[in-house]
Amino acid sequence: MPELVSNERVGRSLLREEVSERIKRYILDNRLRPGAPLPTENELCAALGASRSSVREAIKTLDALDIVEVRHGHGTYVGELSLSALVEGLTFRGLLSPDDEFAVLSELVEVRELFERGNAERILGALDTEQLAGLDELVDRMDRGEDTAGADRAFHSMLVHPLGNELVCQLTDAFWDVYTTVAPHLGLPIDEHDTVALHRGIIDAARAEDLAGFTKAVAAHYAPLRHRISAARG
Amino acid sequence: MPELVSNERVGRSLLREEVSERIKRYILDNRLRPGAPLPTENELCAALGASRSSVREAIKTLDALDIVEVRHGHGTYVGELSLSALVEGLTFRGLLSPDDEFAVLSELVEVRELFERGNAERILGALDTEQLAGLDELVDRMDRGEDTAGADRAFHSMLVHPLGNELVCQLTDAFWDVYTTVAPHLGLPIDEHDTVALHRGIIDAARAEDLAGFTKAVAAHYAPLRHRISAARG
DNA sequence: TCATATTTGTCCGTATGTATG
DNA sequence: ACATACATACGGACAAATATG
């Protein structure tokens, strides 16, 4: 196993914070990729001079951030570095809702719309025929009622995909996940009746490379969502 | 103390995942606000029928998400539900940099710019004279060399603040934090030489309610950043 | 299918560090 | 200065999951 930063200050117990920093440094120094195996708990204990409890708690912290991934009875690995922590945090925030029950949801939808409308020009310029066909396929699937939720999620993900910005894609997915988890708890439906038609409108404008039409179609898609939220707000 | 969901399945050990779910449910059911005290470790152990280790590890998971906050020797409290987990996760991703060292940074900056350019019209419509004066003050402070980093962060935060979208503000701050942490490790400077002038240009356009000018000024602000990143990319 | 080794999961007892009154 | 309450840390034992032969 590669070298691990040893505990140079013997005789003083390591803080949990330090343990997780050492583990992160171990990953960085060895340029480990997601999926790469980490030393076992016992090895980490020995290398860091910390007890198993401290190491385990540090690992749980890193696990929550998807920096490491723990597989029971198998081992600990470098995590996928996804935005799962953002999803869990925002979901909880949406469920707790300090004062305005729908504020989080409303802000979430606003950002989603911004990702699509604010990048409209670049999206239209980058969407190729293959991706347009993929969007068609997704809407068809929704129309047939096959995994409508998954197809809806994939639709918006694919819409921003040509931007070539992985972060935007992941945030789009993350916000969609938060919305679909929180909305039902607040009495809001996930699907609109005319979601299929609204999505088709977006594709049509995109295929025609009609910038104004595209922007309008995206606005039309999010309008009922926004209205429903503000109506529920009172 | 308010009721806590008891362990209805006695004789079977609780999984850590379940423990953290129960704690989250406890917070939600009692509608606790950030800062509100949680039961002590021992009380949680007793109420959930789990060991200290399990409870502690569950708390560490929630702590990483800022759903709870632990104060040593004091107690455990409901967290601020900030985006600290996003910052830590993205920072680590930026430092690990699988293949393209600068991809994360580049995407980050793109989103920051989108928040300001894509909302230009609404920002101009909502900025009042008091906020404009606040922006002036921040740029003056940067010009005097007092806490330039903090003033820069606050500038962009204040710029999107009139949108009334707390999520956008927090994401703006979060991305700024990630950038300023990661950039130095990749040999990129935080400050541009003409940051003050570029910020002044943004304020001027905003004060004149010149939409095209504002968009241009924001683009001019981010252009050197983008160029520097793509230059470093090769 | 079964036995075994490896690894993580859970639990308990105890000692230590820290903040409050 | 002291006592109390609480979180932190440690180590050992056993249970559960997983992979291999």
Side-chain angles (χ1 to χ4, degrees), chain A residues 56-57 93 110 165 170, chain B residues 56 93 110 165 170:
Chain A
R56 281 184 58 78
E57 289 176 14
R93 198 199 285 193
E110 226 173 65
N165 188 317
Q170 293 189 358
Chain B
R56 282 182 59 77
R93 198 199 284 192
E110 227 173 63
N165 187 317
Q170 293 189 359

Side-chain angles (χ1 to χ4, degrees), chain A residues 198-209:
Chain A
L198 290 167
H199 282 194
R200 286 234 162 87
I202 293 175
I203 299 179
D204 291 343
R207 184 169 273 123
E209 301 197 43

